[in-house]
Amino acid sequence: MNVHMSEKIMRPDFQGEFTASILAAAASPDLISFAGGLPNPVSFPVEAMEKATAKVLAENGVQALQYSGTQGLPALRAWIAKRYETMGVYDVTADDIIITNGSQQALAMLGMCMIDPGDKVLVENPTYLVALQSFHMFDPKIIPVQINPDGIDCEKLSETVKANPDAKFIYVIPNFQNPTGLSYTKEVHDKVVEILKGTDILLIEDNPYRELRFAGEATDSFGKELGEQCCMLGTFSKIVAPGMRIGWICVRNKELKAKLLSYKSTADLHTNIFSQLVLAQYLQDNDVDAHIEKTKELYRAKANLMMDCMRKYLPEGVTFTPTEGGMFLWATLPDSITSVDLYRAALAKGVAICPGDPFYEIDRGVHTVRLNYSNSTDEIIEKGMKLLGEACAELLGK
Amino acid sequence: MNVHMSEKIMRPDFQGEFTASILAAAASPDLISFAGGLPNPVSFPVEAMEKATAKVLAENGVQALQYSGTQGLPALRAWIAKRYETMGVYDVTADDIIITNGSQQALAMLGMCMIDPGDKVLVENPTYLVALQSFHMFDPKIIPVQINPDGIDCEKLSETVKANPDAKFIYVIPNFQNPTGLSYTKEVHDKVVEILKGTDILLIEDNPYRELRFAGEATDSFGKELGEQCCMLGTFSKIVAPGMRIGWICVRNKELKAKLLSYKSTADLHTNIFSQLVLAQYLQDNDVDAHIEKTKELYRAKANLMMDCMRKYLPEGVTFTPTEGGMFLWATLPDSITSVDLYRAALAKGVAICPGDPFYEIDRGVHTVRLNYSNSTDEIIEKGMKLLGEACAELLGK
């Protein structure tokens, strides 16, 4: 038979196809890989999770295995609501939180609830590639706005907002953005608030890496100033563990919240309650801040090592912006080599990197690469960066 | 601000609104409820799950907490593939299976991959209300085909297929259908195969209740005869536990499988790997067939009791089709009372039932009600059915 699939799923998917081809080539376990975005497993609280699980099954075994509510476990939502105080937002309640299957699901839910074909959506340029993929499912017109070392380009944002007051939302990652590792300064943060206030453009703040700051000071969440004009997305993937797929949307607009819940109930009824209970128990019985501190120390050392290696091994002409947290570094190559050139040359030497291309809505053949430092041993970082430097130098004919 | 949501999410949602109003009224814990669709928690293998979890975290703690593949855990997929042998399908491999967040997510994934606005979709009339809701998100033209005590009406199906050869798919629940509790006979099964063979209409077989047959004999899966023309949906929710949200799609058409995986990767990256590992460990270390036997004995007794009570307490003119498995009974009221009349009258007596209306795409003010027997004690079934009988008799003026 011929399966006649939907037009929307048959549209070209540059991000998906590009990434699939990269991942297929980079799948060998013998490769040194800076291409992925995995947390370091030594940071996973396996023993504490085992204790939490035993407690949950002993005390709430039936609840953990039965169907449950679409919005998510109240105790877990209350913990998340309280956590917003550390981000400068004091009026969040458990009722504002929807538990999702990782914050990735939040993107799909917001896409469904906000985007009709042709609707305008603003994003940072470059931005998280799976956010682009996810929004593309709903066929919007995506308008990228340049991101600078201090955050989104406010002049360009201001122009774009004036020219597109009917844009549905702007999607931003203000802390240690994926892919660039860049963060918004307080100044840029305040200007963004000024530009968006009074418009009907929703700000979607994706914030998976904010808690992983090992230097400098973080800006508060946009929800502080923008209130219900801001949806705040979060996840336990980077601070506890990604395998349980537990993230959230903090949504304070009541109409939008009702529709997000209605859609989630048709999309999968509810998020795994077994894991929600285990996670809530883990958070109750353990000092998660102490746990995060340890992870930050680990990542700080790895980031510093990788930056040292970049200075030491990468040839002149390759630049990068030092980072103060998160999981990625972002390098810019000289005009004479594209990131795909370097990807190929590095792969030949046994090192996988992530070319910048799929993080852009429009630009292709770019000169930027994303390097992940969180998930490699120190030895591997040293060895891999040296090989990457050699690949780079050969391409530059040095 | 005004949040400008998508047109598709703002469309009227009869199923969602009707169900929400019923659930709100029926939420009191003091009510006797036959309205829901929960498995009986005494059937949950809490202790075995605790042992499985301890083993997984001790042996594969890091894997359980790290990101993992979109398609799902290979060992779990292999178990599911093998299980199809009990349904007459011998050529399923682990590679044909995609693990989903309950089979509910499979519906959303198939809706996304198959339906553009206006596309034709065939369903049984009545059918699972959240399937209707899920498909509605993609704005199809849904064409309902009557279901009879022996399965879908083949004469009507044949006419409908002839008149709509461009239909994208037909969605069926061949065993103990939700809401009607009805199953397809072998004769109807074979006729459906005959009608669909040679067309480009995909058959989506949703089969959550097949393993819960306590009398009679089940038909094989449609995948036996229809091969890649059939997507088979399944779930562990009714045979092990729903709280973990683990279901699957068995899809043997390679193009469709690639698109389903691509969409799932943008929708939530992957299903909770912690629960997948625990479930796979549980299945390896326990005799799930013996477990299912116990659940069936439990449900058989409850179904028989409820049927006895229906004969004893419901006034003449109320009919039902005896069931041989699953979780539901389906009663038809005399023409003079609608199911919503009975819902209100029963609620006043402290009993919640589920009116038939939201299970129909078109019909309203119907005379059918769904009664769940799996999740009540014997005392509650007896007491509740007596009250329901009284409510019914009063409405009939008897």
Side-chain angles (χ1 to χ4, degrees):
Chain A
M1 76 168 302
N2 299 305
V3 177
H4 298 285
M5 285 185 268
S6 65
E7 283 174 25
K8 58 182 161 292
I9 204 76
M10 297 305 285
R11 279 195 298 262
D13 170 20
F14 171 74
Q15 275 72 24
E17 282 151 29
F18 190 97
T19 316
S21 71
I22 282 182
L23 291 182
S28 160
D30 300 332
L31 279 181
I32 291 176
S33 179
F34 304 134
L38 302 188
N40 197 308
V42 308
S43 74
F44 295 159
V46 177
E47 260 182 62
M49 214 53 92
E50 196 173 333
K51 280 185 193 146
T53 310
K55 207 162 168 183
V56 163
L57 285 173
E59 292 173 10
N60 298 303
V62 163
Q63 186 191 356
L65 298 180
Q66 185 59 285
Y67 282 112
S68 104
T70 300
Q71 193 169 350
L73 185 68
L76 188 59
R77 291 191 278 116
W79 189 94
I80 294 163
K82 178 90 182 144
R83 193 75 176 173
Y84 275 103
E85 294 182 5
T86 67
M87 301 173 228
V89 198
Y90 289 86
D91 51 355
V92 175
T93 71
D95 200 43
D96 301 327
I97 310 292
I98 302 173
I99 303 293
T100 58
N101 302 330
S103 55
Q104 187 64 46
Q105 189 187 35
L107 297 176
M109 288 164 63
L110 284 161
M112 177 60 91
C113 290
M114 296 295 295
I115 305 172
D116 286 312
D119 280 352
K120 294 169 185 171
V121 161
L122 313 186
V123 299
E124 295 158 343
N125 193 44
T127 190
Y128 175 44
L129 77 94
V130 193
L132 289 177
Q133 262 188 294
S134 185
F135 298 151
H136 285 165
M137 288 287 166
F138 306 98
D139 204 16
K141 176 172 167 29
I142 293 184
I143 304 172
V145 179
Q146 185 180 314
I147 185 165
N148 299 325
D150 60 350
I152 199 163
D153 188 307
C154 286
E155 210 167 304
K156 296 216 164 85
L157 177 63
S158 179
E159 284 165 22
T160 308
V161 165
K162 267 183 206 139
N164 303 281
D166 55 341
K168 286 298 189 82
F169 62 77
I170 175 166
Y171 170 73
V172 300
I173 312 167
N175 291 287
F176 313 119
Q177 199 231 25
N178 184 355
T180 63
L182 299 172
S183 296
Y184 284 38
T185 61
K186 176 87 169 63
E187 204 189 346
V188 167
H189 173 99
D190 291 346
K191 272 195 208 155
V192 169
V193 170
E194 202 186 303
I195 292 166
L196 290 176
K197 267 231 165 150
T199 72
D200 280 352
I201 302 174
L202 186 75
L203 183 138
I204 301 177
E205 173 185 272
D206 198 359
N207 225 347
Y209 310 105
R210 187 185 188 279
E211 304 251 22
L212 297 179
R213 175 174 286 278
F214 43 72
E217 217 174 301
T219 51
D220 287 333
S221 258
F222 278 108
K224 181 183 182 184
E225 296 95 350
L226 290 177
E228 68 162 8
Q229 194 182 348
C230 175
C231 271
M232 297 178 282
L233 274 45
T235 178
F236 290 99
S237 292
K238 310 301 189 293
I239 56 171
V240 181
M244 291 179 162
R245 311 303 302 123
I246 301 196
W248 67 85
I249 312 179
C250 175
V251 51
R252 293 185 287 171
N253 179 282
K254 299 300 170 203
E255 291 76 32
L256 179 56
K257 181 186 141 190
K259 293 298 183 186
L260 287 166
L261 279 172
S262 157
Y263 172 59
K264 173 144 174 92
S265 78
T266 73
D268 61 9
L269 297 183
H270 64 81
T271 293
N272 189 311
I273 184 68
F274 178 55
S275 291
Q276 289 187 68
L277 280 162
V278 169
L279 184 57
Q281 189 71 54
Y282 166 81
L283 293 169
Q284 188 181 309
D285 295 346
N286 295 273
D287 181 350
V288 75
D289 290 306
H291 174 72
I292 293 170
E293 277 309 315
K294 276 194 277 180
T295 307
K296 276 156 62 171
E297 282 315 307
L298 180 72
Y299 289 3
R300 178 213 301 271
K302 291 194 184 296
N304 286 338
L305 175 61
M306 190 176 266
M307 288 191 281
D308 286 347
C309 290
M310 287 173 93
R311 292 184 193 103
K312 194 156 107 194
Y313 296 122
L314 296 190
E316 215 177 313
V318 180
T319 61
F320 70 94
T321 309
T323 191
E324 300 184 319
M327 292 168 32
F328 302 110
L329 281 162
W330 184 246
T332 304
L333 310 175
D335 285 349
S336 60
I337 43 174
T338 68
S339 66
V340 173
D341 292 337
L342 182 58
Y343 164 77
R344 292 211 186 97
L347 202 63
K349 290 188 181 288
V351 180
I353 58 169
C354 190
D357 300 66
F359 300 97
Y360 295 85
E361 173 66 9
I362 297 166
D363 313 69
R364 298 292 173 253
V366 301
H367 304 276
T368 43
V369 298
R370 190 188 74 175
L371 299 168
N372 169 257
Y373 54 76
S374 59
N375 192 30
S376 299
T377 63
D378 294 355
E379 293 66 34
I380 289 291
I381 290 178
E382 181 92 28
K383 188 175 164 196
M385 291 307 291
K386 197 170 168 205
L387 289 167
L388 187 62
E390 288 169 16
C392 221
E394 283 171 24
L395 281 174
L396 288 167
K398 285 183 185 173
Chain B
M1 78 166 300
N2 299 304
V3 177
H4 299 287
M5 285 184 269
S6 66
E7 283 174 25
K8 59 182 160 291
I9 204 76
M10 297 305 285
R11 279 195 298 263
D13 170 21
F14 171 76
Q15 275 72 24
E17 282 150 30
F18 190 97
T19 315
S21 71
I22 282 181
L23 290 183
S28 159
D30 300 333
L31 281 180
I32 290 174
S33 180
F34 304 134
L38 302 188
N40 197 307
V42 309
S43 73
F44 296 159
V46 178
E47 259 181 66
M49 215 52 93
E50 198 175 329
K51 280 185 193 143
T53 310
K55 206 161 166 183
V56 163
L57 285 172
E59 292 173 9
N60 298 303
V62 162
Q63 186 190 357
L65 299 180
Q66 186 59 287
Y67 283 110
S68 100
T70 299
Q71 193 169 351
L73 184 69
L76 188 58
R77 291 191 278 117
W79 189 94
I80 294 163
K82 177 91 182 144
R83 194 74 176 174
Y84 275 103
E85 293 182 6
T86 68
M87 302 174 227
V89 198
Y90 290 87
D91 50 355
V92 175
T93 71
D95 200 42
D96 301 327
I97 309 292
I98 301 174
I99 302 293
T100 57
N101 302 329
S103 55
Q104 187 63 47
Q105 189 187 35
L107 297 177
M109 286 165 62
L110 284 161
M112 177 60 91
C113 290
M114 295 295 295
I115 306 173
D116 287 311
D119 279 353
K120 294 171 186 169
V121 160
L122 312 187
V123 300
E124 294 158 344
N125 193 43
T127 190
Y128 175 44
L129 76 93
V130 194
L132 289 177
Q133 262 188 294
S134 185
F135 299 152
H136 284 165
M137 288 287 165
F138 307 97
D139 205 17
K141 178 170 166 28
I142 293 185
I143 304 172
V145 180
Q146 186 180 314
I147 183 165
N148 298 324
D150 60 349
I152 199 161
D153 187 307
C154 287
E155 209 167 307
K156 294 213 166 85
L157 177 63
S158 178
E159 284 165 22
T160 308
V161 166
K162 265 182 210 142
N164 303 280
D166 54 342
K168 285 300 189 83
F169 62 77
I170 176 167
Y171 169 73
V172 301
I173 311 168
N175 291 288
F176 313 120
Q177 199 231 24
N178 184 356
T180 63
L182 299 172
S183 296
Y184 285 37
T185 60
K186 175 87 169 62
E187 204 189 344
V188 167
H189 174 98
D190 291 346
K191 270 195 210 155
V192 169
V193 170
E194 201 186 302
I195 293 166
L196 291 177
K197 268 230 165 151
T199 72
D200 280 350
I201 302 174
L202 187 74
L203 184 137
I204 300 177
E205 174 184 271
D206 198 0
N207 226 347
Y209 310 106
R210 186 185 189 278
E211 304 250 23
L212 297 179
R213 176 174 286 276
F214 43 73
E217 217 173 302
T219 50
D220 288 332
S221 259
F222 278 109
K224 182 183 180 181
E225 297 94 351
L226 289 178
E228 67 162 10
Q229 194 182 349
C230 176
C231 272
M232 298 179 280
L233 274 46
T235 178
F236 290 99
S237 292
K238 309 303 190 292
I239 56 170
V240 181
M244 290 179 164
R245 311 302 303 123
I246 303 196
W248 68 83
I249 312 179
C250 175
V251 49
R252 292 186 286 171
N253 179 281
K254 298 301 172 206
E255 291 76 31
L256 179 56
K257 182 186 142 194
K259 293 297 183 185
L260 288 166
L261 280 172
S262 157
Y263 173 59
K264 174 145 173 92
S265 76
T266 74
D268 60 10
L269 297 185
H270 64 82
T271 293
N272 189 310
I273 184 68
F274 177 55
S275 292
Q276 289 186 67
L277 279 163
V278 169
L279 184 58
Q281 189 72 52
Y282 165 82
L283 293 169
Q284 187 181 308
D285 295 346
N286 294 274
D287 182 348
V288 75
D289 291 306
H291 174 72
I292 294 170
E293 276 309 315
K294 277 195 275 179
T295 306
K296 277 157 60 171
E297 280 316 306
L298 180 73
Y299 288 3
R300 178 215 301 271
K302 292 194 183 294
N304 286 337
L305 176 61
M306 191 175 265
M307 288 192 281
D308 287 346
C309 289
M310 287 173 94
R311 293 184 192 102
K312 193 156 110 193
Y313 297 122
L314 296 190
E316 213 177 314
V318 180
T319 60
F320 70 96
T321 308
T323 191
E324 299 183 320
M327 294 170 31
F328 302 109
L329 282 163
W330 183 247
T332 305
L333 310 174
D335 284 349
S336 60
I337 43 173
T338 67
S339 66
V340 174
D341 293 337
L342 182 58
Y343 164 76
R344 292 210 184 96
L347 202 62
K349 290 187 181 289
V351 180
I353 58 169
C354 190
D357 299 66
F359 299 97
Y360 295 86
E361 173 67 8
I362 297 166
D363 314 69
R364 298 291 173 255
V366 301
H367 304 276
T368 41
V369 298
R370 189 190 74 175
L371 299 167
N372 169 258
Y373 54 77
S374 59
N375 191 31
S376 299
T377 64
D378 293 355
E379 295 66 34
I380 288 290
I381 291 176
E382 181 91 29
K383 190 176 163 195
M385 291 307 290
K386 198 171 168 206
L387 289 166
L388 186 64
E390 288 169 17
C392 220
E394 284 169 24
L395 281 174
L396 288 167
K398 285 185 182 169

